[in-house]
Amino acid sequence: MKDVRGKVVIVTGAALGMGKLLAKKFVADGARTVMVDLNRQALSAAVSELGGPERGAFEYIADITDRGKVLALRQWVHGELGTVDVLVNNAGIVAGGPFLKIPIEKHLRTIDVNVSALISMTHAFLPDMIEKRAGHLIMLASAAGFVGVPALSSYCASKWAVIGFSESVRLELEREGITGVKLTIVCPSYVDTGMFAGAKAPLLAPMLKPEEIVESIYRGFKQDRLWVIEPAVVKTIPAMKALLPTPIVDRIGGLLGMHSSMDEWVGRRD
């Protein structure tokens, strides 16, 4: 099991939900944890709740879709804390609804936050880990990275991208012999954080409690697991798509309620 005492950790999207809970885990175990978010008020409250700099929780306000802000964050972290040991790419948003009824700006913002910012953060901080030949990337993908969901088009696209990007980076590191830098790719079904408020969880994949999935993520990180996939039924999706004809896979998704799961989505209002 990894010992994170004294390590430098960055968690994006850390003001609320799973990001805040993951930061809490790292702080409790003695890591110096930089909590990054654009929501100034919520982030300040979260950092205070975790005890502030005296307890190892540091606040950094930034829009990580802005490459200049990411580079400024890197400079600040290096100056204040040193090189980074763990990067938790957690920040994410949802644009729910039928594809053509959502303004294109919302679709593109989803890609900016969920994909472009994740790539930018990884590009900025992975060199720290390569230099030390040690470190860990935690990539928040989704079950939606394995299967299309109606009314969730750009979100699904973004999470498929996160999985493909993460796999490519992992293989590049292995080819270079940098075995000390690990990845954990996280693929949960719907999580009850508010981001999917109104969504109806499909059969066999109940709405996950954020505390439960964060516990699984943190345990997977400590054990150097490549995949954290919850619940168990999500693990069957790639095999079903490979082995069964598409109409049958579609029929199964419909029977389980997956295709109608976003019909009453309202999303986070805080």
Side-chain angles (χ1 to χ4, degrees), residues 21-196:
L21 291 172
L22 283 164
K24 185 177 181 180
K25 288 282 190 184
F26 282 104
V27 170
D29 278 353
R32 295 176 292 162
T33 306
V34 182
M35 301 171 64
V36 181
D37 207 289
L38 188 58
N39 187 332
R40 183 180 301 273
Q41 183 175 356
L43 183 60
S44 294
V47 170
S48 296
E49 181 182 330
L50 270 58
E54 295 78 12
R55 299 296 297 273
F58 299 85
E59 174 182 335
Y60 197 94
I61 308 294
D63 179 354
I64 58 172
T65 66
D66 183 331
R67 177 63 177 165
K69 300 293 177 57
V70 170
L71 295 177
L73 168 61
R74 183 176 187 272
Q75 184 176 11
W76 181 87
V77 172
H78 284 182
E80 295 293 325
L81 301 173
T83 55
V84 170
D85 299 288
V86 181
L87 173 60
V88 184
N89 278 313
N90 168 76
I93 60 173
V94 178
F99 172 65
L100 291 178
K101 291 186 178 181
I102 299 172
I104 187 60
E105 292 79 12
K106 289 189 176 182
H107 285 303
L108 297 179
R109 179 65 178 172
T110 299
I111 300 301
D112 283 345
V113 174
N114 296 5
V115 184
S116 299
L118 179 146
I119 292 173
S120 185
M121 288 290 294
T122 304
H123 197 274
F125 292 102
L126 180 57
D128 291 0
M129 304 176 198
I130 291 175
E131 182 179 353
K132 292 183 284 191
R133 304 187 82 81
H136 206 116
L137 299 168
I138 300 178
M139 307 295 217
L140 269 293
S142 170
F146 294 134
V147 63
V149 180
L152 206 55
S153 54
S154 52
Y155 183 81
C156 288
S158 73
K159 295 308 181 179
W160 286 40
V162 169
I163 291 173
F165 171 73
S166 302
E167 284 274 73
S168 297
V169 169
R170 176 184 66 82
L171 290 167
E172 287 184 18
L173 291 169
E174 288 184 2
R175 287 187 64 185
E176 295 297 322
I178 306 171
T179 57
V181 179
K182 307 296 184 180
L183 278 85
T184 296
I185 307 168
V186 182
C187 298
S189 61
Y190 292 131
V191 182
D192 188 15
T193 61
M195 194 162 74
F196 283 102

Side-chain angles (χ1 to χ4, degrees), residues 144-270:
F146 294 134
V147 63
V149 180
L152 206 55
S153 54
S154 52
Y155 183 81
C156 288
S158 73
K159 295 308 181 179
W160 286 40
V162 169
I163 291 173
F165 171 73
S166 302
E167 284 274 73
S168 297
V169 169
R170 176 184 66 82
L171 290 167
E172 287 184 18
L173 291 169
E174 288 184 2
R175 287 187 64 185
E176 295 297 322
I178 306 171
T179 57
V181 179
K182 307 296 184 180
L183 278 85
T184 296
I185 307 168
V186 182
C187 298
S189 61
Y190 292 131
V191 182
D192 188 15
T193 61
M195 194 162 74
F196 283 102
K200 184 178 180 181
L203 296 174
L204 306 181
M207 188 74 72
L208 298 169
K209 297 296 182 184
E211 295 80 6
E212 295 173 351
I213 185 61
V214 164
E215 182 64 35
S216 295
I217 295 168
Y218 199 65
R219 184 169 58 250
F221 155 75
K222 296 274 256 185
Q223 296 173 348
D224 286 337
R225 288 170 53 194
L226 175 59
W227 296 97
V228 173
I229 302 174
E230 299 288 349
V233 68
V234 177
K235 300 174 185 178
T236 69
I237 294 174
M240 280 196 297
K241 292 179 68 177
L243 297 173
L244 299 177
T246 297
I248 294 178
V249 175
D250 291 348
R251 179 64 173 163
I252 292 171
L255 290 172
L256 293 177
M258 184 181 69
H259 297 169
S260 59
S261 62
M262 286 288 290
D263 286 357
E264 298 179 19
W265 175 86
V266 293
R268 177 174 280 143
R269 297 305 190 198
D270 48 18

